[in-house]
Amino acid sequence: MKKALAGTVAVAAASALLFAASAPASAAPPEPVDRTGAGHGIIDRVQNAVRAHSAFQAMQRHFAVDDGSGLYLEQVPAGAEDRPYAFEWPFSQAHIAIADLANQPLIGRHYDDSLATAAAAQEHYWDADGGTTGLPGYASYPVGEYGDGGDYFYDDNEWVGLLDVQRYLTDGDDAALARAEEIFALVVSGWDTDPSHPNPGGVFWTQAPWSSDRNTVSNMPGAQLGLRLHQITGEQGYLDWALRMYDWTNENLQRPDGLYSDHVDLAGTIEPTVWSYNQGVPVGVNVLLYQATGDQRYLDEAVRIADAAYRYYVTDGRLADQPAFFNSIFFKNLLLLESEIGGSKYRTAMQDYADEVWSEHRDPATGLFAFEGDHTQLLEQAAVTQIFAVLAWSPRQWRDLY
């Protein structure tokens, strides 16, 4: 008991120093601690901030490639067949993790230089020559000086687009908004236009010739990006496309209980796996549709999906079976819902998961998080950093998530 108490005091003291070092003289007093669980107390937030910083430091120490590129390794220890740099999907999640750190109240500015480095490195994946639809986008591997590029994945691009609109909402970054609009144009170009296909319509998962799947994860994040762009610009076309992606996914991949299957192929075969991020993003889409239209049925649907997912993953004990990088996206969207409806049910579940990850999957000697085998994936380290960083935000900020 004394050891546990000493650890708690040490974390609280370290957290207080972390906040005090960066707080301006005119900063408002800290929020009162709410022991009932109905709020989001400052002690929880500073503990999450310390844990986020620890996870970030380990990511930088073990994954960052020391060649001036700002890029990362795919995993540590590296495998014999690993390429010199991580692919776009894990890099994008590391980039998002740093943006989430930079959005923390009071202390976020300490991550600005790291965020600028990540934003510059993100452009090593940008292929201005364009993919199979003729539009530019982020390739699956760096191009130019640092690599030979790769196929475009629409979901890879959507995550960066959602980061970009978050950067615009939080920082007023006009360049990020312009890039988000370019990405959305790419996503629209990936729409299936062949009416002879089974389940016609939907955004394909990738431009790679070896897959013709249309996925929940290539359509719902696209809808979410379109809705954010509609909120920012007021342009009707973004809302129209978002509704088109939303309706197609609901018609073809949503189950009667509200949860979503993974994808449908061109034979009309549905892959029934239920991944956590495929439930979280539709929750966020429905919240944004409610905000855009004022139609209560969208908010009701967000709650229905969120409650079904909560039962499936939390109540029935399946959450730990999901990859951490899916759970980070899942929970962020639940926080977006909670920013609209209030309460603390989903934030509490996210905190419980974060605490378990910290105690069960962290190597104290390295600060790395491992979930399977002896390797730590960049995706995993970045996801854990995101989870702790966002739990350190003020709840008022959760309205800007994805």
Side-chain angles (χ1 to χ4, degrees), residues 44-55:
D44 284 342
R45 287 172 54 195
V46 293
Q47 179 173 262
N48 287 317
V50 169
R51 289 177 172 181
H53 186 66
S54 171

Side-chain angles (χ1 to χ4, degrees), residues 71 83 85 124 141-150:
L71 297 170
R83 302 183 75 175
Y85 306 111
H124 295 321
Y141 196 73
V143 301
E145 179 181 359
Y146 296 104
D148 54 3

Side-chain angles (χ1 to χ4, degrees), residues 112-132:
D112 285 349
D113 289 345
S114 297
L115 181 56
T117 297
Q122 182 72 71
E123 296 312 291
H124 295 321
Y125 297 87
W126 183 254
D127 180 8
D129 292 336
T132 61

